[in-house]
Every structure is written in structure tokens, then in C-alpha cells.
Amino acid sequence: MPARSLVMSRRDIAFLLYDWLDATSLTARERFAGHDRETFDAVLRLAEDIATEHFAPHNKRNDAEEPTFDGETVHLHPEVRAALDVLAGTGLIGTSADADFGGLQLPHVVSTALGVWFQAANIATWSYTLLTVANANLLMTHGERGHVEAWVRPMLEGRYHGTMCLSEPQAGSSLADITTRAVRQDDGTYRLTGTKMWISGGDHELGENIVHLVLARTPGGPPGVKGLSLFLVPKHLVADDGSIGERNDVVLAGLNHKMGFRGTTNTVLNFGEGRHTPGGRPGAVCTLIGAEGEGLAAMFHMMNEARIAIGAGAAALGYTGYLKSLEYARTRTQGRPVDAKDPSRPPVTLDQHPDVRRMLLAQKSYVEGALALVLFCGRLVDEQLTAETADERRRSGLLLEILTPIAKSWPSQWCVAANDLAIQVHGGYGYTREYDVEQHYRDNRLNPIHEGTHGIQGLDLLGRKVSMRGGEAFRALCELIEGTVSRTGPDADPGTREVADAVAGGLAQLSRVTATLLAEPDPHVRLANSSLYLEAAGHVVVAWIWLEQLLALGRRDDDFAAGKRAAAQYFSRYELPAAVTRLGLLGTLDRTTVDLDPAIL
């Protein structure tokens, strides 16, 4: 079992939660009044214990022994269910859910923090829980009370699991091209037919039932995404008394085999194939959630939650890879300093070489910045729900909207880069399966695709979020960053002042380029490089995150604070200038990719 210090940093989580985000202040609000710092620490310690003792030990086995399908049943090795059963017994599945529904009603920021322990320890096993919680949260928001009683409680108890079913073989991410169809029946239920692809957790024997949330069309609905409705499709029908009934007409057509997350079943599901015929006729029996034609709006509740969770998972995988490469660099001896070539002198540890220190510092700047970003988004969820005034709740919602594509994609890009550097620090050993960093890279490489690619997130940010409500969300973000810069007074130490100046300059460039892009009437030119815009905006945001951490450190003077200051300095000197240069290119409205004839490629 890996040492706890190599899974996640308890010290950094505590600093971010309490010294920076002041999570304990939330206990003054009615929703969280039953909690205090002691309960927060207790659930975090419990999450750490379960993650390290029950999730981490089978992480490599999860990777080496993929799920198998014999044509009828999916088989996973028993440690997966054993770990999930332990988790279910603690009540941690419903950490942020309402107490009335069986949850612990903890703040989202605390729930996000405890989740990263599991994501770092064994992201494939945790994925079953992540999807289940997101499914349950959607139903608690958009479902009826009966849906919550019938489906949410068993999910929060760990007896049922949940999925989200959007993509189809012919459509991929283009949801406007979905063809799955649901027809209303005389009893008010629907019968659903179609095929869904890339469904994580789509079939297994880890619990009593699986609750699929499926986007489909109804007869007479408009084309495109406006014609999509959301349906709840259980693997097994459930009687009024809660007992498990006959098998629904949803079957596993096959497993997809990915380069990472190999312990999470990834499936092709056929609905209405006719292998099972509830009531004697084909078609998966399902229930409409919300109104017809409003399915995508409801599904976005789950998608946006999952997007931030993907960013958190990317940060966690990057973080644990960093900790392991740091430990390796501190213990592995190799070579001698450039000014000490005498072969009779003993070799030094890897961390004595400046280039290795550069790689370690780069990782630190990426993973600690990414973790802080996703925790900040968790705090925004709490503010959106419980802030004292309507204006504060509205502003938090705007910030969450504009930061979601960044919180999903920035960690998914730069924490993969951190994993790449972790391999490099290990040298030849990094490419072998005996060391964890090889698996962390493969697992994390999926996150730039999960829940919408970088391209999709870039289009969302530049095509929708920066202009939404007349640019109100973008202005709120700019005001937030400007406020932090203004708090960096003239008496700040030179290092903090340097970072503040870099953030101010990056924000000014981002604002100018954003205005230029929004004024461009040709959408092909405006959005051609939206992925680069997403990356550059993310760098400005993470630079601001580092400035926030510096201010939270105050006059603290220990190794932890010194490490934070070094990482902030590295990011503002090495990383942010590259993003500003990229913004300059975007401001020219370059047409290279717009005018390119793909035939010449």
C-alpha cells in the first residue's frame, strides 16, 4: 500500500480549505449549522483512511485486470465491490446531499476535497461513485419526490448505481444528432429504443440495480437539441414496495477498452433490443424526468457537476504523480553536480540537479493550482446555494458558469503534463509498470476527452460564457481578479507584488483580446482558436489562484510557505508569459486554420 503522503497532501488540503477558502465560516449558515471544523476534519480523515486502505491497494490490479464480459455478465475482481461496500457503510456517498434524503449535508467544497483522496488513490473504482452521486443530484433537483424516494435513497446507500447516457455511435459529442427514441404509453411510462456509446459504469454487478439517465427523442419533437428529453431507465424494474423486479430491456452490447480508467466498465448499451421484454413486449420501460423537450437543460446539471469532478480527478492524478516523483527524486541517486565531475565522489540524489528541480516545480505549480481551482468552484456551489443575498448567489452562479469549462479543461491538460514530467523524473523506470506514474499518465490522458473535449469546452467558454447576459459573467470574473490584485498593497513582499503585477498584465491582455474576438462578425474566425483561448484564459485564472494562495499565506514562514511561493513565482515567470503571447496571436484574428484546405494535410 502506498504511503499516505504519496496519495494526496493532507497539509495542502487543510491550507486551501481553512486558510484560504475559510470553509468553517459556512457553518454559520443554516444549511451547514450541524457541522464544525471537527466534523470536517473527521470526514476528511475517514476519506483518507478508506482511500489508502481500501482503494489504493487494488489500483494496479484494477489496471492490469480489466473487466470482462462473457456475453451475459460483466466480471470485475472482488476488491472493487469490497471497497465500494466499505465506502457505502460510512455514509460518505451522500456527503453534500440533503439530510432528508439520507445525505450528510456537508458543504460542496468539503465534499470535493474528500473526493480527491479517492480519485488519487483509485480513480477507476471511484468513478462508479462519482457517476452515482451526479445522477442522484440531478434527480434531487429535477425529479419529483417519488423519484427521489424510489431511486436516490438507494443510490446514496450504495445499493444502486447511476450513469449518464448521452453519446451514440453515429453522433459522438454532437447531441443534436441523437436518434434514440422514447414513446409514451397509456400508463404514463415510456418505451425507449436506441443505442448509447461510451457509457461509463453502464453494466456491472456491483449493486442491486443501475439507474440510467438517458437523452432521447419523443415523437413530434423538434429536430436538434430542443427535441431531447430526459428519461430514467433502470436496469431492473422496481416494484412499488422497492423490491427488484424483472430485467428491463437494456442490455450490454460490448465493452470498450480504453488506455486508462481500465477498471471502470465502459460500455455500449442497447435499449429495446428485445432480449428482455417487460410486460411481454420490447422497449425499455422508462420514466420522463421533467417535461418533454427539456432534457438537455436537466442533463447539463449532471454534466456540469461531472465536468468539475473530471477537473478534480485530473488534479488528483497529477498531484499523486507529483508526490511520487518528488519522493523518487529525493531518494534515487544518479550523477554528480556539473562542477563536481570526480567519479570517486558519491552520486547525488536527483533533486540536486537543477533540471529535475525545474520539472518538480512545474508539476507543483500545475497540480496545486489545479486543486485550488476545483476547490474554489466547490465553494462557489456553496455560495450559489446559501449566500445571504440574492446578488451574492447570482454572482456566484455567474462565476461558476464561466469557470466550469476552465475547471474541467485546464487541469485535464496541465495535470497530464505534470504526469508526463513525473515519468521524466523517473527516467527509464517511469515507463515501466512497476512504478505508478506510468498508469497515472494513462488514466489522466482520458480526462481531456471525458465530459466534452478541450474543443467543446473552448467553444462553450468563448462561444457562450464570455458573452452570456451581455458579458456579465466575464465582467464578474474580471472584477474578482482585479479585487485580488488590489488587495496586494504596496507593503506586500516583492515576490507577491511581482505575481500581482503579472496577473494584472495577463488579465488586461485577456480583456482586450476578448473584446476583439467578440467584435469579429465571422464565427469561423472568432471561434477557430477557441481552444487556445481556453488555455490562455485558464492560465490567467490559475495565476490569480496562485496570487490568492500567496495572500492567504500572509507572513507564514516555513517550508510549506516557501514551496508555495516558489511555485507561484515559477508560474508567473515561466507559464503566464507564454499564455500572454498566445493571447497576442489570438488578437490578430489569424485565419491559418480557417483558410486551410484539409486536402493538403
Side-chain angles (χ1 to χ4, degrees):
M1 182 180 72
R4 293 188 182 191
S5 62
L6 302 187
V7 174
M8 183 51 60
S9 171
R10 182 192 306 162
R11 184 169 60 171
D12 196 19
I13 288 175
F15 166 75
L16 294 173
L17 279 181
Y18 303 128
D19 296 335
W20 177 40
L21 295 173
D22 192 18
T24 51
S25 67
L26 291 168
T27 61
R29 299 178 184 178
E30 182 179 359
R31 178 173 178 81
F32 309 120
H35 299 293
D36 54 22
R37 169 73 182 264
E38 185 176 346
T39 62
F40 292 169
D41 285 342
V43 295
L44 287 166
R45 284 194 300 269
L46 181 59
E48 179 183 354
D49 289 343
I50 298 172
T52 55
E53 295 172 13
H54 298 279
F55 278 66
H58 71 274
N59 189 43
K60 293 183 77 67
R61 186 178 177 187
N62 227 14
D63 182 64
E65 301 175 22
E66 292 183 80
T68 59
F69 178 46
D70 62 12
E72 292 292 333
T73 304
V74 171
H75 300 278
L76 294 87
H77 60 80
E79 289 172 88
V80 176
R81 176 151 191 175
L84 293 175
D85 286 347
V86 170
L87 178 68
T90 66
L92 290 182
I93 294 176
T95 50
S96 61
D98 290 357
D100 289 346
F101 300 147
L104 298 181
Q105 208 161 299
L106 285 165
H108 280 79
V109 66
V110 177
S111 180
T112 303
L114 70 85
V116 298
W117 279 102
F118 296 101
Q119 290 170 309
N122 190 328
I123 199 164
T125 294
W126 176 252
S127 291
Y128 297 105
T129 299
L130 184 154
L131 289 163
T132 299
V133 170
N135 184 306
N137 287 341
L138 183 151
L139 291 175
M140 283 187 282
T141 302
H142 296 279
E144 300 173 0
R145 183 76 188 197
H147 300 144
V148 173
E149 294 297 334
W151 307 107
V152 171
R153 287 187 182 275
M155 283 196 277
L156 297 184
E157 293 168 0
R159 296 190 293 112
Y160 291 6
H161 290 80
T163 76
M164 55 192 302
C165 301
L166 290 79
S167 298
E168 297 179 3
Q170 83 291 343
S173 299
S174 181
L175 301 182
D177 298 318
I178 283 176
T179 60
T180 296
R181 177 180 172 88
V183 179
R184 184 179 173 86
Q185 308 297 298
D186 292 339
D187 63 358
T189 65
Y190 288 72
R191 291 275 178 156
L192 187 141
T193 57
T195 298
K196 293 293 181 178
M197 184 79 164
W198 310 116
I199 309 306
S200 295
D203 199 25
H204 51 73
E205 302 298 323
L206 297 173
E208 301 171 20
N209 210 346
I210 301 176
V211 181
H212 303 291
L213 291 177
V214 184
L215 284 180
R217 300 189 180 281
T218 54
V225 295
K226 294 182 179 180
L228 297 176
S229 302
L230 182 63
F231 296 91
L232 186 155
V233 188
K235 178 178 178 179
H236 296 277
L237 301 183
V238 176
D240 291 340
D241 63 359
S243 61
I244 301 296
E246 64 181 311
R247 177 71 183 262
N248 205 357
D249 196 2
V250 49
V251 299
L252 176 61
L255 295 174
N256 300 307
H257 300 283
K258 295 186 174 183
M259 68 182 284
F261 279 69
R262 294 171 68 176
T264 305
T265 57
N266 190 272
T267 64
V268 183
L269 297 178
N270 286 341
F271 297 85
E273 183 181 278
R275 190 183 307 180
H276 306 281
T277 54
R281 53 197 179 86
V285 177
C286 57
T287 302
L288 178 69
I289 302 299
E292 288 191 11
E294 297 179 1
L296 188 58
M299 184 60 92
F300 261 113
H301 184 282
M302 186 173 183
M303 290 166 64
N304 284 333
E305 179 175 340
R307 284 172 174 173
I308 294 174
I310 292 299
L317 287 170
Y319 212 127
T320 192
Y322 159 64
L323 293 175
K324 290 168 184 175
S325 68
L326 177 61
E327 177 71 10
Y328 186 83
R330 286 172 170 170
T331 56
R332 164 73 175 183
T333 57
Q334 184 172 310
R336 294 162 185 82
V338 293
D339 60 349
K341 295 298 187 180
D342 183 355
S344 66
R345 295 182 60 176
V348 297
T349 54
L350 287 173
D351 63 353
Q352 298 304 303
H353 299 293
D355 190 55
V356 173
R357 291 201 293 270
R358 175 191 61 82
M359 291 189 285
L360 293 170
L361 191 55
Q363 288 182 71
K364 182 180 179 71
S365 75
Y366 301 155
V367 304
E368 293 186 13
L371 177 62
L373 172 61
V374 295
L375 289 181
F376 179 75
C377 288
R379 178 66 199 247
L380 284 178
V381 174
D382 294 320
E383 293 298 318
Q384 186 181 27
L385 291 173
T386 67
E388 292 184 3
T389 69
D391 284 345
E392 289 173 313
R393 294 191 295 273
R394 185 172 184 275
R395 178 176 175 274
S396 297
L398 288 169
L399 288 170
L400 192 60
E401 285 265 17
I402 198 166
L403 285 175
T404 292
I406 295 172
K408 187 275 176 189
S409 271
W410 196 93
S412 297
Q413 179 175 359
W414 293 98
C415 291
V416 173
N419 290 131
D420 181 79
L421 289 170
I423 291 173
Q424 195 73 14
V425 168
H426 280 73
Y429 290 108
Y431 296 94
T432 67
R433 293 187 179 180
E434 284 72 25
Y435 288 83
D436 293 347
V437 292
E438 176 266 348
Q439 180 187 344
H440 295 325
Y441 178 87
R442 286 188 291 104
D443 284 342
N444 217 354
R445 185 56 186 82
L446 272 68
N447 285 322
I449 295 175
H450 275 158
E451 302 305 328
T453 63
H454 286 326
I456 289 172
Q457 305 304 324
L459 289 171
D460 182 40
L461 179 63
L462 183 57
R464 293 182 59 245
K465 298 299 175 61
V466 299
S467 60
M468 65 183 291
R469 303 181 191 178
E472 190 175 2
F474 185 72
R475 286 196 298 275
L477 178 61
C478 291
E479 290 167 2
L480 179 69
I481 297 173
E482 289 165 353
T484 303
V485 172
S486 68
R487 295 197 340 257
T488 311
D491 59 338
D493 65 88
T496 301
R497 185 73 259 168
E498 176 188 343
V499 174
D501 291 343
V503 170
L507 180 64
Q509 177 77 329
L510 177 65
S511 298
R512 288 192 295 270
V513 171
T514 299
T516 298
L517 290 169
L518 293 181
E520 168 55 48
D522 185 347
H524 296 94
V525 175
R526 184 170 69 250
L527 299 175
N529 292 308
S530 57
S531 292
L532 300 184
Y533 178 88
L534 170 70
E535 179 183 326
H539 264 56
V540 172
V541 167
V542 173
W544 162 74
I545 288 281
W546 273 113
L547 178 58
E548 281 278 327
Q549 291 187 71
L550 291 181
L551 294 177
L553 287 169
R555 299 295 181 180
R556 182 169 172 175
D557 183 19
D558 55 17
D559 286 346
F560 177 82
K564 286 283 186 186
R565 292 188 179 101
Q569 182 182 72
Y570 173 88
F571 197 86
S572 67
R573 289 182 179 180
Y574 284 70
E575 295 291 339
L576 187 57
V580 172
T581 298
R582 189 156 283 183
L583 284 170
L585 172 63
L586 291 171
T588 67
L589 301 175
D590 182 73
R591 298 183 59 93
T592 299
T593 57
V594 176
D595 296 336
L596 179 69
D597 181 356
I600 69 173
L601 296 176

